[in-house]
Amino acid sequence: MEKTYGLQVAGLKRTLPIIQVAEDLAIASFVLLGDAEMTTQAAIALAKKLPTDIDYLVTAEAKGIPLLQELARIMDFKTYIVARKSVKAYMDAPLEASVFSITTQKEQTLILDGRDAALIAGKNVAIIDDVISTGESLQALVTLVEKAGANVIAQAAVLAEGDAAKREDIVFLEELPLFPR
């Protein structure tokens, strides 16, 4: 029998499979991609918790993109910024930061197109993700946007996993426990 975790967030219930990610650690796998209902409801709830003086929303490719799109629509932003996982041919003077992700179990590089960096220079940004766990991905995004000269005024996610839920510098909707073995 598959082990699961019951989650309630933004008025919705989901049953998440518990997945082993390391020999001594399992997580409840929350996948926002493809869940249009959760994306919309979470974005509505998260928008209410964000500061009003945000100039740009920023996320990392790929799981945060639908949430960012919905937040941008709700908050009436015409543009949002996505840090990519590789340099693309269309990029001009890209900025880079590296991160070790718990979900991919390897080092990843986040890339910000130089044109996007120019847009956010001197601006207030909110960094948005689906789940904040170790904080490594979040820190890589902070490093990246600060390299571009932006001011990070909010860091937010649908869920804060494990010790991240104790952080006072992030905004989130619900806690998600870890399952140590």
Side-chain angles (χ1 to χ4, degrees):
M1 182 172 179
E2 180 182 42
K3 291 185 179 183
T4 60
Y5 176 77
L7 174 71
Q8 186 163 343
V9 62
L12 301 173
K13 293 181 182 180
R14 295 295 184 266
T15 300
L16 308 179
I18 296 177
I19 307 294
Q20 200 77 30
V21 294
E23 186 176 315
D24 60 346
L25 180 66
I27 63 169
S29 180
F30 177 74
V31 179
L32 198 55
L33 282 174
D35 191 339
E37 180 184 39
M38 178 62 76
T39 300
T40 298
Q41 294 306 315
I44 290 167
L46 206 51
K48 293 174 184 173
K49 295 182 125 191
L50 291 173
T52 58
D53 57 341
I54 298 167
D55 298 310
Y56 288 96
L57 300 168
V58 179
T59 196
E61 188 176 50
K63 292 191 306 181
I65 295 173
L67 180 62
L68 204 69
Q69 169 69 36
E70 191 64 13
L71 272 170
R73 186 189 66 75
I74 290 165
M75 298 173 74
D76 199 30
F77 281 84
K78 305 300 181 217
T79 303
Y80 58 85
I81 309 297
V82 177
R84 304 296 301 266
K85 291 183 179 175
S86 62
V87 175
K88 305 298 179 190
Y90 62 78
M91 291 183 170
D92 179 42
L95 300 178
E96 298 184 20
S98 293
V99 61
F100 182 84
S101 171
I102 189 172
T103 52
T104 59
Q105 294 292 298
K106 64 179 182 176
E107 186 173 72
Q108 293 182 328
T109 302
L110 294 177
I111 313 292
L112 188 62
D113 187 341
R115 286 181 283 273
D116 289 338
L119 276 178
I120 65 174
K123 302 294 185 184
N124 292 336
V125 304
I127 295 175
I128 310 296
D129 209 348
D130 59 339
V131 179
I132 297 171
S133 187
T134 64
E136 296 292 326
S137 298
L138 190 67
Q139 186 54 51
L141 275 172
V142 168
T143 299
L144 199 54
V145 299
E146 286 179 346
K147 275 186 186 180
N151 307 308
V152 178
I153 64 165
Q155 301 170 79
V158 177
L159 302 174
E161 187 174 54
D163 287 343
K166 298 174 187 169
R167 292 178 55 168
E168 295 182 9
D169 64 330
I170 62 173
V171 174
F172 60 94
L173 300 178
E174 296 295 336
E175 294 182 31
L176 190 61
L178 292 172
F179 301 89
R181 304 243 171 177

mmCIF file of all heavy atoms in Angstrom, residues 46-91:
data_model
loop_
_atom_site.group_PDB
_atom_site.id
_atom_site.type_symbol
_atom_site.label_atom_id
_atom_site.label_comp_id
_atom_site.label_asym_id
_atom_site.label_seq_id
_atom_site.Cartn_x
_atom_site.Cartn_y
_atom_site.Cartn_z
ATOM 1 N N LEU A 46 -2.097 33.471 -2.059
ATOM 2 C CA LEU A 46 -0.746 34.016 -1.921
ATOM 3 C C LEU A 46 -0.713 35.510 -2.250
ATOM 4 O O LEU A 46 -0.024 36.283 -1.568
ATOM 5 C CB LEU A 46 0.206 33.241 -2.834
ATOM 6 C CG LEU A 46 1.667 33.181 -2.446
ATOM 7 C CD1 LEU A 46 1.876 32.738 -1.011
ATOM 8 C CD2 LEU A 46 2.416 32.264 -3.399
ATOM 9 N N ALA A 47 -1.463 35.926 -3.253
ATOM 10 C CA ALA A 47 -1.494 37.345 -3.641
ATOM 11 C C ALA A 47 -1.928 38.221 -2.468
ATOM 12 O O ALA A 47 -1.429 39.344 -2.307
ATOM 13 C CB ALA A 47 -2.424 37.543 -4.837
ATOM 14 N N LYS A 48 -2.818 37.715 -1.635
ATOM 15 C CA LYS A 48 -3.305 38.467 -0.471
ATOM 16 C C LYS A 48 -2.225 38.650 0.590
ATOM 17 O O LYS A 48 -2.320 39.544 1.427
ATOM 18 C CB LYS A 48 -4.508 37.759 0.146
ATOM 19 C CG LYS A 48 -5.723 37.770 -0.744
ATOM 20 C CD LYS A 48 -6.843 36.936 -0.154
ATOM 21 C CE LYS A 48 -8.027 36.882 -1.109
ATOM 22 N NZ LYS A 48 -9.074 35.948 -0.650
ATOM 23 N N LYS A 49 -1.193 37.807 0.558
ATOM 24 C CA LYS A 49 -0.135 37.851 1.574
ATOM 25 C C LYS A 49 1.106 38.609 1.116
ATOM 26 O O LYS A 49 2.027 38.803 1.899
ATOM 27 C CB LYS A 49 0.260 36.422 1.964
ATOM 28 C CG LYS A 49 -0.844 35.652 2.650
ATOM 29 C CD LYS A 49 -0.367 34.276 3.048
ATOM 30 C CE LYS A 49 -0.602 34.113 4.517
ATOM 31 N NZ LYS A 49 0.023 32.958 5.109
ATOM 32 N N LEU A 50 1.156 38.987 -0.143
ATOM 33 C CA LEU A 50 2.345 39.653 -0.687
ATOM 34 C C LEU A 50 2.269 41.161 -0.497
ATOM 35 O O LEU A 50 1.175 41.739 -0.491
ATOM 36 C CB LEU A 50 2.497 39.325 -2.169
ATOM 37 C CG LEU A 50 2.867 37.878 -2.487
ATOM 38 C CD1 LEU A 50 2.813 37.628 -3.996
ATOM 39 C CD2 LEU A 50 4.240 37.534 -1.942
ATOM 40 N N PRO A 51 3.435 41.823 -0.371
ATOM 41 C CA PRO A 51 3.441 43.283 -0.274
ATOM 42 C C PRO A 51 2.878 43.914 -1.552
ATOM 43 O O PRO A 51 2.878 43.295 -2.618
ATOM 44 C CB PRO A 51 4.916 43.647 -0.112
ATOM 45 C CG PRO A 51 5.686 42.384 -0.057
ATOM 46 C CD PRO A 51 4.771 41.246 -0.323
ATOM 47 N N THR A 52 2.430 45.138 -1.429
ATOM 48 C CA THR A 52 1.823 45.815 -2.583
ATOM 49 C C THR A 52 2.833 46.588 -3.432
ATOM 50 O O THR A 52 2.490 47.037 -4.512
ATOM 51 C CB THR A 52 0.720 46.788 -2.119
ATOM 52 O OG1 THR A 52 1.298 47.737 -1.208
ATOM 53 C CG2 THR A 52 -0.411 46.042 -1.447
ATOM 54 N N ASP A 53 4.064 46.743 -2.943
ATOM 55 C CA ASP A 53 5.045 47.553 -3.673
ATOM 56 C C ASP A 53 6.005 46.711 -4.521
ATOM 57 O O ASP A 53 7.148 47.087 -4.753
ATOM 58 C CB ASP A 53 5.812 48.474 -2.731
ATOM 59 C CG ASP A 53 6.531 47.728 -1.610
ATOM 60 O OD1 ASP A 53 6.177 46.568 -1.333
ATOM 61 O OD2 ASP A 53 7.445 48.323 -1.010
ATOM 62 N N ILE A 54 5.531 45.595 -5.030
ATOM 63 C CA ILE A 54 6.334 44.720 -5.891
ATOM 64 C C ILE A 54 6.299 45.262 -7.313
ATOM 65 O O ILE A 54 5.245 45.613 -7.824
ATOM 66 C CB ILE A 54 5.770 43.278 -5.884
ATOM 67 C CG1 ILE A 54 5.831 42.677 -4.486
ATOM 68 C CG2 ILE A 54 6.501 42.396 -6.891
ATOM 69 C CD1 ILE A 54 5.022 41.397 -4.331
ATOM 70 N N ASP A 55 7.480 45.308 -7.939
ATOM 71 C CA ASP A 55 7.563 45.711 -9.344
ATOM 72 C C ASP A 55 7.567 44.509 -10.284
ATOM 73 O O ASP A 55 7.022 44.584 -11.387
ATOM 74 C CB ASP A 55 8.836 46.542 -9.579
ATOM 75 C CG ASP A 55 8.839 47.829 -8.779
ATOM 76 O OD1 ASP A 55 7.832 48.565 -8.837
ATOM 77 O OD2 ASP A 55 9.840 48.089 -8.085
ATOM 78 N N TYR A 56 8.222 43.414 -9.856
ATOM 79 C CA TYR A 56 8.315 42.208 -10.692
ATOM 80 C C TYR A 56 8.218 40.949 -9.837
ATOM 81 O O TYR A 56 8.685 40.924 -8.706
ATOM 82 C CB TYR A 56 9.642 42.171 -11.474
ATOM 83 C CG TYR A 56 9.699 43.164 -12.595
ATOM 84 C CD1 TYR A 56 10.297 44.398 -12.416
ATOM 85 C CD2 TYR A 56 9.145 42.874 -13.840
ATOM 86 C CE1 TYR A 56 10.340 45.334 -13.435
ATOM 87 C CE2 TYR A 56 9.186 43.795 -14.867
ATOM 88 C CZ TYR A 56 9.775 45.028 -14.660
ATOM 89 O OH TYR A 56 9.806 45.943 -15.676
ATOM 90 N N LEU A 57 7.647 39.929 -10.433
ATOM 91 C CA LEU A 57 7.611 38.589 -9.853
ATOM 92 C C LEU A 57 8.664 37.751 -10.559
ATOM 93 O O LEU A 57 8.797 37.825 -11.785
ATOM 94 C CB LEU A 57 6.234 37.952 -10.063
ATOM 95 C CG LEU A 57 5.047 38.701 -9.449
ATOM 96 C CD1 LEU A 57 3.739 38.123 -9.973
ATOM 97 C CD2 LEU A 57 5.103 38.639 -7.937
ATOM 98 N N VAL A 58 9.393 36.917 -9.791
ATOM 99 C CA VAL A 58 10.476 36.105 -10.352
ATOM 100 C C VAL A 58 10.340 34.669 -9.835
ATOM 101 O O VAL A 58 10.047 34.452 -8.656
ATOM 102 C CB VAL A 58 11.864 36.656 -9.926
ATOM 103 C CG1 VAL A 58 12.988 35.802 -10.498
ATOM 104 C CG2 VAL A 58 12.025 38.113 -10.356
ATOM 105 N N THR A 59 10.576 33.702 -10.712
ATOM 106 C CA THR A 59 10.619 32.301 -10.313
ATOM 107 C C THR A 59 11.699 31.583 -11.094
ATOM 108 O O THR A 59 12.268 32.137 -12.034
ATOM 109 C CB THR A 59 9.255 31.594 -10.510
ATOM 110 O OG1 THR A 59 9.258 30.369 -9.760
ATOM 111 C CG2 THR A 59 8.972 31.283 -11.975
ATOM 112 N N ALA A 60 11.944 30.340 -10.699
ATOM 113 C CA ALA A 60 12.876 29.478 -11.434
ATOM 114 C C ALA A 60 12.064 28.516 -12.291
ATOM 115 O O ALA A 60 10.971 28.099 -11.916
ATOM 116 C CB ALA A 60 13.763 28.702 -10.468
ATOM 117 N N GLU A 61 12.638 28.167 -13.426
ATOM 118 C CA GLU A 61 12.057 27.163 -14.300
ATOM 119 C C GLU A 61 11.991 25.842 -13.544
ATOM 120 O O GLU A 61 12.939 25.505 -12.839
ATOM 121 C CB GLU A 61 12.978 27.047 -15.523
ATOM 122 C CG GLU A 61 12.493 26.221 -16.640
ATOM 123 C CD GLU A 61 13.473 26.271 -17.816
ATOM 124 O OE1 GLU A 61 14.676 26.073 -17.621
ATOM 125 O OE2 GLU A 61 13.006 26.516 -18.927
ATOM 126 N N ALA A 62 11.004 25.046 -13.507
ATOM 127 C CA ALA A 62 9.809 25.092 -14.299
ATOM 128 C C ALA A 62 8.551 25.044 -13.426
ATOM 129 O O ALA A 62 7.523 25.563 -13.825
ATOM 130 C CB ALA A 62 9.775 23.922 -15.275
ATOM 131 N N LYS A 63 8.634 24.421 -12.239
ATOM 132 C CA LYS A 63 7.401 24.179 -11.495
ATOM 133 C C LYS A 63 6.728 25.442 -10.981
ATOM 134 O O LYS A 63 5.527 25.446 -10.756
ATOM 135 C CB LYS A 63 7.656 23.208 -10.337
ATOM 136 C CG LYS A 63 7.993 21.807 -10.810
ATOM 137 C CD LYS A 63 7.978 20.779 -9.709
ATOM 138 C CE LYS A 63 8.837 21.139 -8.547
ATOM 139 N NZ LYS A 63 8.850 20.149 -7.484
ATOM 140 N N GLY A 64 7.454 26.532 -10.823
ATOM 141 C CA GLY A 64 6.847 27.767 -10.347
ATOM 142 C C GLY A 64 6.179 28.595 -11.420
ATOM 143 O O GLY A 64 5.456 29.550 -11.120
ATOM 144 N N ILE A 65 6.386 28.252 -12.682
ATOM 145 C CA ILE A 65 5.876 29.085 -13.780
ATOM 146 C C ILE A 65 4.356 29.212 -13.794
ATOM 147 O O ILE A 65 3.843 30.328 -13.916
ATOM 148 C CB ILE A 65 6.425 28.611 -15.146
ATOM 149 C CG1 ILE A 65 7.946 28.802 -15.182
ATOM 150 C CG2 ILE A 65 5.761 29.362 -16.288
ATOM 151 C CD1 ILE A 65 8.630 28.212 -16.405
ATOM 152 N N PRO A 66 3.581 28.133 -13.679
ATOM 153 C CA PRO A 66 2.129 28.326 -13.701
ATOM 154 C C PRO A 66 1.637 29.207 -12.545
ATOM 155 O O PRO A 66 0.739 30.031 -12.723
ATOM 156 C CB PRO A 66 1.549 26.916 -13.576
ATOM 157 C CG PRO A 66 2.666 25.976 -13.771
ATOM 158 C CD PRO A 66 3.949 26.723 -13.585
ATOM 159 N N LEU A 67 2.240 29.052 -11.376
ATOM 160 C CA LEU A 67 1.875 29.881 -10.228
ATOM 161 C C LEU A 67 2.211 31.344 -10.508
ATOM 162 O O LEU A 67 1.408 32.238 -10.219
ATOM 163 C CB LEU A 67 2.603 29.392 -8.975
ATOM 164 C CG LEU A 67 2.330 30.166 -7.690
ATOM 165 C CD1 LEU A 67 0.861 30.097 -7.299
ATOM 166 C CD2 LEU A 67 3.210 29.624 -6.567
ATOM 167 N N LEU A 68 3.368 31.595 -11.076
ATOM 168 C CA LEU A 68 3.773 32.960 -11.397
ATOM 169 C C LEU A 68 2.837 33.583 -12.432
ATOM 170 O O LEU A 68 2.454 34.744 -12.316
ATOM 171 C CB LEU A 68 5.217 32.977 -11.908
ATOM 172 C CG LEU A 68 5.933 34.304 -11.730
ATOM 173 C CD1 LEU A 68 6.207 34.580 -10.270
ATOM 174 C CD2 LEU A 68 7.229 34.310 -12.502
ATOM 175 N N GLN A 69 2.480 32.807 -13.446
ATOM 176 C CA GLN A 69 1.551 33.282 -14.471
ATOM 177 C C GLN A 69 0.223 33.693 -13.835
ATOM 178 O O GLN A 69 -0.316 34.755 -14.138
ATOM 179 C CB GLN A 69 1.311 32.174 -15.515
ATOM 180 C CG GLN A 69 0.179 32.442 -16.482
ATOM 181 C CD GLN A 69 0.454 33.560 -17.450
ATOM 182 O OE1 GLN A 69 1.577 33.732 -17.888
ATOM 183 N NE2 GLN A 69 -0.569 34.321 -17.793
ATOM 184 N N GLU A 70 -0.293 32.859 -12.965
ATOM 185 C CA GLU A 70 -1.578 33.154 -12.322
ATOM 186 C C GLU A 70 -1.456 34.340 -11.367
ATOM 187 O O GLU A 70 -2.337 35.201 -11.323
ATOM 188 C CB GLU A 70 -2.098 31.908 -11.601
ATOM 189 C CG GLU A 70 -3.513 32.015 -11.134
ATOM 190 C CD GLU A 70 -4.558 32.170 -12.236
ATOM 191 O OE1 GLU A 70 -4.247 31.960 -13.418
ATOM 192 O OE2 GLU A 70 -5.698 32.524 -11.904
ATOM 193 N N LEU A 71 -0.367 34.418 -10.616
ATOM 194 C CA LEU A 71 -0.141 35.574 -9.744
ATOM 195 C C LEU A 71 -0.056 36.862 -10.560
ATOM 196 O O LEU A 71 -0.631 37.886 -10.175
ATOM 197 C CB LEU A 71 1.150 35.399 -8.941
ATOM 198 C CG LEU A 71 1.045 34.680 -7.611
ATOM 199 C CD1 LEU A 71 2.434 34.378 -7.064
ATOM 200 C CD2 LEU A 71 0.236 35.474 -6.608
ATOM 201 N N ALA A 72 0.657 36.806 -11.670
ATOM 202 C CA ALA A 72 0.787 37.986 -12.534
ATOM 203 C C ALA A 72 -0.587 38.436 -13.031
ATOM 204 O O ALA A 72 -0.897 39.637 -13.055
ATOM 205 C CB ALA A 72 1.718 37.684 -13.702
ATOM 206 N N ARG A 73 -1.418 37.486 -13.407
ATOM 207 C CA ARG A 73 -2.769 37.820 -13.888
ATOM 208 C C ARG A 73 -3.585 38.459 -12.768
ATOM 209 O O ARG A 73 -4.186 39.522 -12.954
ATOM 210 C CB ARG A 73 -3.469 36.560 -14.403
ATOM 211 C CG ARG A 73 -4.823 36.829 -15.060
ATOM 212 C CD ARG A 73 -5.570 35.546 -15.360
ATOM 213 N NE ARG A 73 -5.964 34.815 -14.163
ATOM 214 C CZ ARG A 73 -6.972 35.154 -13.349
ATOM 215 N NH1 ARG A 73 -7.688 36.226 -13.605
ATOM 216 N NH2 ARG A 73 -7.250 34.423 -12.288
ATOM 217 N N ILE A 74 -3.590 37.849 -11.601
ATOM 218 C CA ILE A 74 -4.375 38.336 -10.460
ATOM 219 C C ILE A 74 -3.896 39.713 -10.003
ATOM 220 O O ILE A 74 -4.698 40.586 -9.682
ATOM 221 C CB ILE A 74 -4.289 37.334 -9.290
ATOM 222 C CG1 ILE A 74 -5.056 36.059 -9.640
ATOM 223 C CG2 ILE A 74 -4.809 37.940 -7.990
ATOM 224 C CD1 ILE A 74 -4.734 34.887 -8.727
ATOM 225 N N MET A 75 -2.568 39.903 -9.987
ATOM 226 C CA MET A 75 -1.991 41.149 -9.484
ATOM 227 C C MET A 75 -1.812 42.209 -10.565
ATOM 228 O O MET A 75 -1.258 43.265 -10.329
ATOM 229 C CB MET A 75 -0.662 40.837 -8.795
ATOM 230 C CG MET A 75 -0.833 39.919 -7.587
ATOM 231 S SD MET A 75 0.748 39.372 -6.874
ATOM 232 C CE MET A 75 1.264 40.891 -6.055
ATOM 233 N N ASP A 76 -2.281 41.892 -11.770
ATOM 234 C CA ASP A 76 -2.249 42.803 -12.919
ATOM 235 C C ASP A 76 -0.830 43.213 -13.337
ATOM 236 O O ASP A 76 -0.559 44.373 -13.624
ATOM 237 C CB ASP A 76 -3.101 44.051 -12.642
ATOM 238 C CG ASP A 76 -3.467 44.769 -13.935
ATOM 239 O OD1 ASP A 76 -3.588 44.105 -14.981
ATOM 240 O OD2 ASP A 76 -3.616 46.018 -13.905
ATOM 241 N N PHE A 77 0.069 42.230 -13.361
ATOM 242 C CA PHE A 77 1.419 42.435 -13.880
ATOM 243 C C PHE A 77 1.416 42.084 -15.367
ATOM 244 O O PHE A 77 0.846 41.065 -15.759
ATOM 245 C CB PHE A 77 2.432 41.529 -13.165
ATOM 246 C CG PHE A 77 2.848 42.022 -11.808
ATOM 247 C CD1 PHE A 77 2.081 41.745 -10.693
ATOM 248 C CD2 PHE A 77 4.004 42.756 -11.651
ATOM 249 C CE1 PHE A 77 2.449 42.192 -9.440
ATOM 250 C CE2 PHE A 77 4.389 43.210 -10.394
ATOM 251 C CZ PHE A 77 3.604 42.932 -9.292
ATOM 252 N N LYS A 78 2.048 42.886 -16.158
ATOM 253 C CA LYS A 78 2.125 42.627 -17.603
ATOM 254 C C LYS A 78 3.313 41.734 -17.952
ATOM 255 O O LYS A 78 3.342 41.111 -19.005
ATOM 256 C CB LYS A 78 2.227 43.943 -18.386
ATOM 257 C CG LYS A 78 1.124 44.931 -18.087
ATOM 258 C CD LYS A 78 -0.241 44.375 -18.410
ATOM 259 C CE LYS A 78 -1.310 45.413 -18.105
ATOM 260 N NZ LYS A 78 -2.524 44.852 -17.568
ATOM 261 N N THR A 79 4.296 41.675 -17.048
ATOM 262 C CA THR A 79 5.537 40.932 -17.290
ATOM 263 C C THR A 79 5.953 40.218 -16.011
ATOM 264 O O THR A 79 5.742 40.741 -14.913
ATOM 265 C CB THR A 79 6.670 41.910 -17.681
ATOM 266 O OG1 THR A 79 6.265 42.651 -18.822
ATOM 267 C CG2 THR A 79 7.963 41.187 -17.994
ATOM 268 N N TYR A 80 6.530 39.049 -16.158
ATOM 269 C CA TYR A 80 7.169 38.367 -15.035
ATOM 270 C C TYR A 80 8.468 37.753 -15.534
ATOM 271 O O TYR A 80 8.694 37.636 -16.733
ATOM 272 C CB TYR A 80 6.254 37.325 -14.378
ATOM 273 C CG TYR A 80 5.759 36.236 -15.284
ATOM 274 C CD1 TYR A 80 6.511 35.094 -15.533
ATOM 275 C CD2 TYR A 80 4.505 36.338 -15.880
ATOM 276 C CE1 TYR A 80 6.040 34.093 -16.364
ATOM 277 C CE2 TYR A 80 4.028 35.332 -16.705
ATOM 278 C CZ TYR A 80 4.789 34.218 -16.944
ATOM 279 O OH TYR A 80 4.332 33.232 -17.761
ATOM 280 N N ILE A 81 9.335 37.361 -14.609
ATOM 281 C CA ILE A 81 10.689 36.916 -14.946
ATOM 282 C C ILE A 81 10.873 35.455 -14.544
ATOM 283 O O ILE A 81 10.553 35.072 -13.421
ATOM 284 C CB ILE A 81 11.749 37.778 -14.212
ATOM 285 C CG1 ILE A 81 11.504 39.279 -14.429
ATOM 286 C CG2 ILE A 81 13.160 37.351 -14.599
ATOM 287 C CD1 ILE A 81 11.612 39.761 -15.848
ATOM 288 N N VAL A 82 11.436 34.669 -15.466
ATOM 289 C CA VAL A 82 11.726 33.264 -15.196
ATOM 290 C C VAL A 82 13.226 33.030 -15.360
ATOM 291 O O VAL A 82 13.781 33.289 -16.435
ATOM 292 C CB VAL A 82 10.951 32.327 -16.147
ATOM 293 C CG1 VAL A 82 11.331 30.872 -15.897
ATOM 294 C CG2 VAL A 82 9.449 32.527 -15.987
ATOM 295 N N ALA A 83 13.866 32.552 -14.299
ATOM 296 C CA ALA A 83 15.273 32.137 -14.388
ATOM 297 C C ALA A 83 15.282 30.753 -15.019
ATOM 298 O O ALA A 83 14.565 29.854 -14.578
ATOM 299 C CB ALA A 83 15.904 32.106 -12.999
ATOM 300 N N ARG A 84 16.068 30.608 -16.056
ATOM 301 C CA ARG A 84 16.114 29.347 -16.802
ATOM 302 C C ARG A 84 17.178 28.420 -16.225
ATOM 303 O O ARG A 84 18.026 28.828 -15.443
ATOM 304 C CB ARG A 84 16.421 29.643 -18.284
ATOM 305 C CG ARG A 84 15.440 30.624 -18.957
ATOM 306 C CD ARG A 84 14.023 30.080 -19.020
ATOM 307 N NE ARG A 84 13.942 28.848 -19.741
ATOM 308 C CZ ARG A 84 13.662 28.731 -21.037
ATOM 309 N NH1 ARG A 84 13.397 29.797 -21.749
ATOM 310 N NH2 ARG A 84 13.638 27.560 -21.618
ATOM 311 N N LYS A 85 17.147 27.154 -16.646
ATOM 312 C CA LYS A 85 18.107 26.163 -16.153
ATOM 313 C C LYS A 85 19.298 25.988 -17.075
ATOM 314 O O LYS A 85 20.217 25.239 -16.764
ATOM 315 C CB LYS A 85 17.406 24.826 -15.927
ATOM 316 C CG LYS A 85 16.433 24.885 -14.768
ATOM 317 C CD LYS A 85 15.808 23.554 -14.493
ATOM 318 C CE LYS A 85 14.865 23.657 -13.311
ATOM 319 N NZ LYS A 85 14.141 22.415 -13.074
ATOM 320 N N SER A 86 19.277 26.677 -18.206
ATOM 321 C CA SER A 86 20.422 26.635 -19.120
ATOM 322 C C SER A 86 20.446 27.924 -19.929
ATOM 323 O O SER A 86 19.432 28.607 -20.063
ATOM 324 C CB SER A 86 20.338 25.417 -20.054
ATOM 325 O OG SER A 86 19.189 25.494 -20.861
ATOM 326 N N VAL A 87 21.612 28.242 -20.456
ATOM 327 C CA VAL A 87 21.748 29.414 -21.300
ATOM 328 C C VAL A 87 21.085 29.114 -22.639
ATOM 329 O O VAL A 87 21.290 28.048 -23.228
ATOM 330 C CB VAL A 87 23.242 29.776 -21.511
ATOM 331 C CG1 VAL A 87 23.385 30.928 -22.493
ATOM 332 C CG2 VAL A 87 23.899 30.115 -20.179
ATOM 333 N N LYS A 88 20.271 30.046 -23.113
ATOM 334 C CA LYS A 88 19.575 29.908 -24.394
ATOM 335 C C LYS A 88 20.213 30.852 -25.407
ATOM 336 O O LYS A 88 20.749 31.904 -25.052
ATOM 337 C CB LYS A 88 18.087 30.253 -24.244
ATOM 338 C CG LYS A 88 17.371 29.460 -23.161
ATOM 339 C CD LYS A 88 17.377 27.984 -23.459
ATOM 340 C CE LYS A 88 16.677 27.208 -22.363
ATOM 341 N NZ LYS A 88 16.836 25.786 -22.466
ATOM 342 N N ALA A 89 20.119 30.489 -26.675
ATOM 343 C CA ALA A 89 20.747 31.273 -27.737
ATOM 344 C C ALA A 89 20.236 32.712 -27.781
ATOM 345 O O ALA A 89 20.971 33.623 -28.173
ATOM 346 C CB ALA A 89 20.528 30.592 -29.084
ATOM 347 N N TYR A 90 19.006 32.934 -27.397
ATOM 348 C CA TYR A 90 18.428 34.278 -27.456
ATOM 349 C C TYR A 90 18.898 35.187 -26.316
ATOM 350 O O TYR A 90 18.641 36.382 -26.329
ATOM 351 C CB TYR A 90 16.898 34.209 -27.443
ATOM 352 C CG TYR A 90 16.314 33.602 -26.188
ATOM 353 C CD1 TYR A 90 16.218 34.334 -25.007
ATOM 354 C CD2 TYR A 90 15.850 32.296 -26.182
ATOM 355 C CE1 TYR A 90 15.689 33.775 -23.857
ATOM 356 C CE2 TYR A 90 15.317 31.733 -25.042
ATOM 357 C CZ TYR A 90 15.232 32.479 -23.879
ATOM 358 O OH TYR A 90 14.708 31.911 -22.747
ATOM 359 N N MET A 91 19.587 34.646 -25.330
ATOM 360 C CA MET A 91 19.974 35.433 -24.162
ATOM 361 C C MET A 91 21.134 36.367 -24.456
ATOM 362 O O MET A 91 22.059 36.020 -25.171
ATOM 363 C CB MET A 91 20.336 34.507 -22.995
ATOM 364 C CG MET A 91 19.164 33.769 -22.428
ATOM 365 S SD MET A 91 19.691 32.766 -21.012
ATOM 366 C CE MET A 91 18.104 32.276 -20.387
#
